[in-house]
Amino acid sequence: MSKEKFEAGALRWFGRPLDVLRPAERRILEQAHARQPIAADSNADFDAQLSFGDRLSDRIAIVGGSWGFILGFLGFLVIWALVNTILLTQNPFDPYPFIFLNLILSMLAAIQAPIIMMSQNRAAARDRLDASHDYQVNLKAEIEILALHEKVDALRGTEIAALGAMLAAIDERLDRMERSRS
């Protein structure tokens, strides 16, 4: 495609010259002119780049943020308290106020919180990637719609010109018919 067509498209659709367009806008303009699709599965590309640790932290965040985990952990706490207060009344391994349990919970929270934050950071990065892709798809759709409007307007203009010519021909025939009657 010629540089002049790109320049005209950039000015028409973006309102800026080609040389000041951002790389994403330039790529969208090229793909729109080439009639290439822009839709892609950005999640598949993102998932392919995840390391074992990334996938593990995502799984931990999924399990740690589920009702199954909450109810299971609640059951564990109840059993811990029952064992140390009722069943082992003579020699409990963690007597009330459950200092050892408190230590275990603190260590679990100290490990689980950063793992969940890593997963959330990856989710935010994926959301930014999706938003960028959505912007590109929307921009291309807008360019295509504008191009369709231009084509429809051009067709409408040629139809109006053809109708004008037909009306002029009809008017001329009517004039000839009136002259021939008189």
Side-chain angles (χ1 to χ4, degrees), residues 127-171:
D127 290 344
R128 283 190 299 276
L129 183 66
D130 284 343
S132 173
H133 185 258
D134 288 347
Y135 167 74
Q136 291 176 9
V137 169
N138 290 341
L139 187 59
K140 183 169 184 232
E142 187 175 343
I143 289 172
E144 293 293 339
I145 289 170
L146 289 171
L148 286 173
H149 277 290
E150 288 176 357
K151 288 178 183 179
V152 168
D153 290 344
L155 284 173
R156 193 176 284 158
T158 57
E159 285 179 353
I160 289 173
L163 283 173
M166 284 178 24
L167 284 175
I170 291 171
D171 189 40

Side-chain angles (χ1 to χ4, degrees), residues 83-154:
V83 165
N84 282 291
T85 56
I86 296 174
L87 295 179
L88 299 175
T89 56
Q90 295 298 328
N91 215 0
F93 62 89
D94 188 21
Y96 181 80
F98 311 120
I99 294 171
F100 184 59
L101 175 64
N102 200 356
L103 174 66
I104 291 173
L105 293 175
S106 296
M107 289 189 317
L108 178 68
I111 292 170
Q112 192 178 22
I115 291 173
I116 290 172
M117 287 175 63
M118 288 187 308
S119 180
Q120 288 176 338
N121 287 341
R122 250 186 321 290
R126 176 178 280 149
D127 290 344
R128 283 190 299 276
L129 183 66
D130 284 343
S132 173
H133 185 258
D134 288 347
Y135 167 74
Q136 291 176 9
V137 169
N138 290 341
L139 187 59
K140 183 169 184 232
E142 187 175 343
I143 289 172
E144 293 293 339
I145 289 170
L146 289 171
L148 286 173
H149 277 290
E150 288 176 357
K151 288 178 183 179
V152 168
D153 290 344

Side-chain angles (χ1 to χ4, degrees), residues 11 24-25 28 44 54 151 157 181:
L11 287 172
E25 293 170 336
I28 300 302
D54 293 337
K151 288 178 183 179
R181 279 190 179 171

